[in-house]
Amino acid sequence: MNILVGVTGCIAAYKACELIRSFQKAGCDVSVVMTQAATRFVGVETFRALTQGQAKVSLFDDADPIPHISLAEQADAMVIAPCTADVCAKVACGIADDLLTSTVLACTCPLFIAPAMNVHMYENAATQANLEVLRSRGVHVIAPDAGYLACGEVGAGKLPAPERISRAVLACLDGRSEASEQALAGKRILVTSGPTVEPIDDVRFISNRSSGKMGAAIAAAALDAGASVTVVSGPVSIAYDARAEVVSVQTAREMRDAACTAFSNADIAICVAAVADYRPERAHAGKLKKGADDDALSCIRMVPNPDILSELGHAKRPDQMVVGFAAEAGEAEAHAREKLARKGADLIVANDVSAQDVFGSDEDEVSFVSEHAITRLARMPKPEVARALIALIAKG
């Protein structure tokens, strides 16, 4: 199989070297076409060394008088990774002003694009409109991961791991069923994510360490699988995939109300949020002051919060599915099995928070616990956990 890798002028261009190796390990022949800007980050000689000389930059400096046609005819698939906002726009508009974009226009093989850029550039309405145009034409868009970006921002725009890109491309070409192949097309998914915040007064509050990273990864994986996604999220510093509808909340009661509303029209609820079990009975106006309000500060009466997972689990229709998460300090699978029945859930994702740094981490080690089976995953990046979960859900 001949894979043509396009590389654009992005700091993530170095990851294209790993992507080439990943394809080669799978038995593919790989050629490379670069933009001139890409050579500012990785030299063409590096790619020529990796591909036995099969790397080109210019329309005019090669012995082949029409290299864009030759490259296009030889390719079984073309993968642009990383793909900048500029190149996304050019491809969407049909601009062919260099070797890479001319080759894209000449290609009749499947085209895959892995956008990578600043979070605000990715979320910009123009970029999102360009990506929608590409999807409507049958281009496979591999959504970026959310995380810490080279510019210092945090959010969506990070190039996925090269192994994920190559796996998605080869799965599509081989006809295997993966999340990127629209396995959940037409499904509506609710994802609760992040922490809840329970006020003590107008300054202080009770919350937890949830970062929202797993919720964001699950939302992105579900979107890649063709679902429409509503995220009900507590306060987080990360950005959710711009394709999702995001409902921002603060307290557990606000999350319950928003989740119940969204679930009435959803097929699947995935309750990832770390909802505070208790809240202060009273939220004081203003700020409680040391010395003047010592009694109120030294004894904060707590009352139970709504159990969102249980409410959804026991209210679900026969055609609906509810998935919960269980962060346990020891014996996670046993607790998950008990929680499965008590909450009315169809599946529990269990992890042992006493054995690892889960909250805020980019990785996790979980088990999928259902009534009849337990599937254990090795420690892996949260986006990989999310894709495994979505693949399991898609199987029913």
Side-chain angles (χ1 to χ4, degrees), residues 328 330-338 350 366-367 369 374-376:
E328 303 290 347
E331 299 184 355
E333 291 178 0
H335 288 298
R337 179 78 76 180
E338 181 272 333
V366 306
S367 299
V369 180
I374 295 177
T375 303
R376 298 179 180 91

Side-chain angles (χ1 to χ4, degrees), residues 148-173:
Y148 185 82
L149 306 177
C151 57
E153 299 276 358
V154 176
K158 183 177 180 180
L159 186 72
E163 294 80 6
R164 175 193 162 191
I165 297 172
S166 63
R167 187 165 59 247
V169 172
L170 295 175
C172 185
L173 296 176

Side-chain angles (χ1 to χ4, degrees), residues 3-20:
I3 305 294
L4 177 59
V5 174
V7 186
T8 68
C10 172
I11 188 64
Y14 73 93
K15 292 186 178 180
C17 299
E18 300 175 51
L19 180 61
I20 291 167

